[in-house]
Amino acid sequence: EGGGGRRAPFLLRALRIAVVVCLYWFTSIAMVFLNKYLLDSPSLRLDAPLFVTFFQCALTAALCLGLSLGAACGPPCAGLPPLRLDPKVSRSVLPLSAVFISMVTSNNLCLKHVGVAFYNVGRSLTTVFNVLLSYLLLKQTTSLYALLACGVIIGGFWLGVDQEGAEGTLSWTGIFFGILASLCVSLNAIYTKKVLPVVDGSIWRLTFYNNVNACVLFFPLMMLLGEFRTLYNFDKLGSPSFWGMMTLGGVFGFAIGYVTGLQIKFTSPLTHNVSGTAKACAQTVLAVIYFEETKSFLWWTSNLMVLGGSFAYTWVKGLEMRKVQEDPNVKSGERNETGV
């Protein structure tokens, strides 16, 4: 109705959102496939998952520092806060860093022991742990509809485990680390909220301190598990292609945090969750096609239950949050029901 004057901004916004969502999908899916190659490729044969995670954390910290130093040069680094290592702040962030390394390590170990196609189901209990920890730690209750959605997710998870066992591809080690990863993701979100005031609310500074602390904590773990010996005997340690893939994996690991923030900024947290659910579906289909796998009807049903339950939970929480925002007379107790 307003002619071209209104269409141009709308088209520009739509194009920008489409580009950001596609960038998030590409970065997230590429990172999963690349990490699977680094962690469990028969051609690479590198049994050092902690070293892979350590390298990605070290590269992330280096990139944070490098971009911060380049902030004075103007775009695209302008606006980034200066970074310096303060031991006092580092100690305050340490509890979160312990949860953080548990999260990234268990994520990678889950991916190492299960297929990419099952990876989404293997670590699908994050939403369930969000509800459980919200009640245990924050005393926040959850609505019946949200609990029903969690029940669908749990049912899909167990059906997926059953079908992986029926196909002979079940790894209980992978399942254990998938459950641990789900728990750590939930704990990481809670601890992040508590620790953010220590870094003046800056996610950028928190990312830097988290990854620096993680690098320090990984060293004794790698020594304890004998990964330095594994690296010494690794036949591709001097290969430029290996280090190129490692560097690419670290860059994607760094970029996923940035593109996640972009997607939330240009859409909304609710849309980001929906996009993440759709991305998980696309990732599963791509993995089945790429690895030329054949899956049963019930296996696909388990995936649909997990994705459907996750979408339903997101939709229910979105409606509850909108109700809280639109009704100023909602009691504080009802406000707490929105949970995490």
Side-chain angles (χ1 to χ4, degrees), residues 43-75:
S43 61
L44 195 62
R45 299 189 306 275
L46 175 62
D47 188 20
L50 292 184
F51 171 72
V52 173
T53 313
F54 160 79
F55 183 85
Q56 292 176 350
C57 289
L59 187 59
T60 297
L63 287 171
C64 285
L65 185 60
L67 290 175
S68 178
L69 293 175
C73 301

Side-chain angles (χ1 to χ4, degrees), residues 23-198:
L23 186 61
Y24 168 77
W25 278 42
F26 170 76
T27 304
S28 181
I29 293 175
M31 183 181 68
V32 171
F33 276 86
L34 187 56
N35 278 346
K36 181 63 176 177
Y37 168 79
L38 292 171
L39 293 164
D40 194 40
S41 170
S43 61
L44 195 62
R45 299 189 306 275
L46 175 62
D47 188 20
L50 292 184
F51 171 72
V52 173
T53 313
F54 160 79
F55 183 85
Q56 292 176 350
C57 289
L59 187 59
T60 297
L63 287 171
C64 285
L65 185 60
L67 290 175
S68 178
L69 293 175
C73 301
C77 300
L80 297 180
L83 295 176
R84 64 181 183 86
L85 193 60
D86 186 338
K88 184 178 179 180
V89 175
S90 184
R91 286 194 299 270
S92 299
V93 177
L94 196 57
L96 172 62
S97 299
V99 175
F100 173 74
I101 66 169
S102 299
M103 178 184 72
V104 294
T105 301
S106 54
N107 263 318
N108 281 349
L109 287 172
C110 174
L111 184 58
K112 175 180 173 63
H113 292 284
V114 304
V116 176
F118 186 70
Y119 178 60
N120 179 58
V121 174
R123 52 182 299 276
S124 61
L125 297 181
T126 299
T127 301
V128 178
F129 280 117
N130 281 344
V131 171
L132 183 61
L133 293 177
S134 294
Y135 179 75
L136 294 177
L137 302 181
L138 305 177
K139 305 304 179 184
Q140 292 178 347
T141 56
T142 304
S143 66
L144 176 61
Y145 290 116
L147 290 176
L148 289 175
C150 290
V152 173
I153 294 173
I154 295 173
F157 172 79
W158 282 116
L159 180 59
V161 171
D162 175 73
Q163 290 304 299
E164 283 287 299
E167 295 182 3
T169 55
L170 178 64
S171 167
W172 283 108
T173 302
I175 296 300
F176 169 77
F177 283 116
I179 296 174
L180 183 61
S182 301
L183 173 61
C184 290
V185 168
S186 299
L187 285 173
N188 187 72
I190 293 173
Y191 274 91
T192 296
K193 291 181 181 180
K194 291 184 177 182
V195 172
L196 266 176
V198 177

Side-chain angles (χ1 to χ4, degrees), residues 171-302:
S171 167
W172 283 108
T173 302
I175 296 300
F176 169 77
F177 283 116
I179 296 174
L180 183 61
S182 301
L183 173 61
C184 290
V185 168
S186 299
L187 285 173
N188 187 72
I190 293 173
Y191 274 91
T192 296
K193 291 181 181 180
K194 291 184 177 182
V195 172
L196 266 176
V198 177
V199 291
D200 302 320
S202 172
I203 292 292
W204 187 259
R205 292 184 66 200
L206 185 60
T207 300
F208 173 69
Y209 276 103
N210 240 347
N211 284 277
V212 169
N213 284 349
C215 290
V216 175
L217 293 173
F218 270 126
F219 261 95
L221 292 175
M222 288 189 293
M223 291 184 65
L224 185 65
L225 296 178
E227 290 201 359
F228 288 113
R229 189 183 307 109
T230 302
L231 290 170
Y232 180 78
N233 296 320
F234 183 51
D235 58 349
K236 294 182 178 63
L237 196 60
S239 170
S241 61
F242 165 70
W243 288 109
M245 295 295 282
M246 287 285 288
T247 302
L248 190 60
V251 170
F252 275 118
F254 170 79
I256 188 63
Y258 179 71
V259 297
T260 297
L262 274 183
Q263 181 167 253
I264 294 173
K265 176 181 178 181
F266 287 110
T267 58
S268 69
L270 180 63
T271 305
H272 167 67
N273 288 335
V274 173
S275 174
T277 302
K279 187 274 305 180
C281 180
Q283 178 179 291
T284 300
V285 174
L286 283 173
V288 170
I289 295 173
Y290 179 78
F291 293 105
E292 299 179 346
E293 299 173 342
T294 302
K295 300 298 184 182
S296 67
F297 173 76
L298 288 177
W299 188 92
W300 286 108
T301 301
S302 71

Side-chain angles (χ1 to χ4, degrees), residues 3-22 262-268 271:
R6 286 190 180 181
R7 289 182 182 176
F10 171 77
L11 290 176
L12 183 62
R13 289 197 302 271
L15 179 61
R16 186 165 53 187
I17 289 172
V19 170
V20 168
V21 171
C22 289
L262 274 183
Q263 181 167 253
I264 294 173
K265 176 181 178 181
F266 287 110
T267 58
S268 69
T271 305

